[in-house]
């Protein structure tokens, strides 16, 4: 069971309450697809992913980035039981989508980079440590049904 201090809860809620989902979601997913091109294989039905500019202007990718970020919302609202919150989503990614669970970490890292760029100096080491803890719990919960 993961323990969260009041300070950590505040940091996570503050980050997500000030987040522009429509901006950050697409940027994080695009970054993942560009930096780690093998992650594109799961989006074969999304049309043109030929190069970085095609990925960044692909409306289906943008919409999916927003959807993924809203998926994280559920973890923010259920910080004390992220594992159970994601059990169905983990089964979906494992059994139906066959997404290699290593990729969860890659997307989480891209999300950290995008949020850090947005927050600038406010993304202190303390904030980063807490955000890292949060995404690690999410990544572990999403990978849970793979074992
Ligand atoms: Ni993911 C569908 C959340 C990582 C590939 N994904 C979803 C949905 C949510 C979601 C929510 C929609 C489910 C539904 O329709 O019921 N995905 C998340 C979260 C993370 C994540 C919170 C990690 C932070 N997904 C990834 C990664 C990949 C990925 C790393 C591949 C590289 N996800 C998919 C694909 C779909 C998907 C593919 C289905 C898309 C579609 O068009 O149906």
């Amino acid at each position: 069971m993961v323990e969260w201090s009041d300070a950590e809860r505040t940091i996570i809620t503050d980050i997500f309450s000030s987040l522009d989902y429509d901006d950050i979601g697409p940027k994080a997913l695009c970054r993942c697809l560009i930096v780690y091109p093998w992650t594109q294989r799961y989006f074969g039905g999304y049309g043109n992913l030929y190069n970085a500019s095609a990925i960044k202007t692909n409306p289906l990718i943008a919409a999916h980035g927003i959807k993924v970020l809203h998926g994280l919302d559920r973890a923010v609202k259920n910080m004390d039981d992220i594992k159970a919150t994601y059990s169905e989503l983990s089964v979906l990614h494992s059994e139906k989508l066959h997404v290699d669970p290593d990729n969860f970490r890659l997307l989480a890292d891209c999300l950290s980079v995008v949020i850090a760029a947005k927050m600038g100096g406010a993304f202190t080491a303390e904030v980063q440590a807490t955000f890292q803890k949060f995404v690690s719990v999410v990544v572990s919960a999403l990978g849970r049904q793979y074992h």
Side-chain angles (χ1 to χ4, degrees):
M1 170 82 183
V2 182
E3 303 281 341
W4 299 97
S5 69
D6 289 344
E8 287 172 331
R9 288 178 198 275
T10 306
I11 287 172
I12 295 301
T13 335
D14 283 356
I15 290 177
F16 280 89
S17 65
S18 60
L19 214 60
D20 179 354
Y21 283 54
D22 297 354
D23 177 42
I24 303 297
K27 278 185 182 154
L29 182 58
C30 284
R31 187 171 280 260
C32 184
L33 295 170
I34 294 164
V35 178
Y36 309 109
W38 58 89
T39 59
Q40 294 170 20
R41 72 194 297 265
Y42 305 103
F43 300 95
Y46 278 50
N48 187 0
L49 303 176
Y50 183 68
N51 56 26
S53 109
I55 291 170
K56 287 195 269 188
T57 52
N58 184 315
L60 294 173
I61 292 294
H64 191 63
I66 297 168
K67 192 189 268 186
V68 168
L69 214 52
H70 280 293
L72 285 179
D73 236 8
R74 294 169 48 198
V76 178
K77 294 196 178 95
N78 297 283
M79 281 178 72
D80 291 315
D81 203 0
I82 294 180
K83 201 168 41 168
T85 304
Y86 282 143
S87 69
E88 262 179 48
L89 208 51
S90 177
V91 171
L92 178 82
H93 283 81
S94 160
E95 289 171 18
K96 188 158 172 241
L97 302 169
H98 306 293
V99 171
D100 182 332
D102 287 352
N103 293 320
F104 297 139
R105 154 77 41 223
L106 303 179
L107 180 58
D109 285 350
C110 287
L111 181 63
S112 302
V113 170
V114 172
I115 289 181
K118 189 76 181 181
M119 289 179 65
F123 197 76
T124 60
E126 188 201 12
V127 170
Q128 182 180 353
T130 304
F131 190 72
Q132 189 65 38
K133 176 175 169 181
F134 175 77
V135 290
S136 298
V137 178
V138 167
V139 165
S140 153
L142 282 174
R144 200 77 194 171
Q145 303 299 327
Y146 282 70
H147 309 302

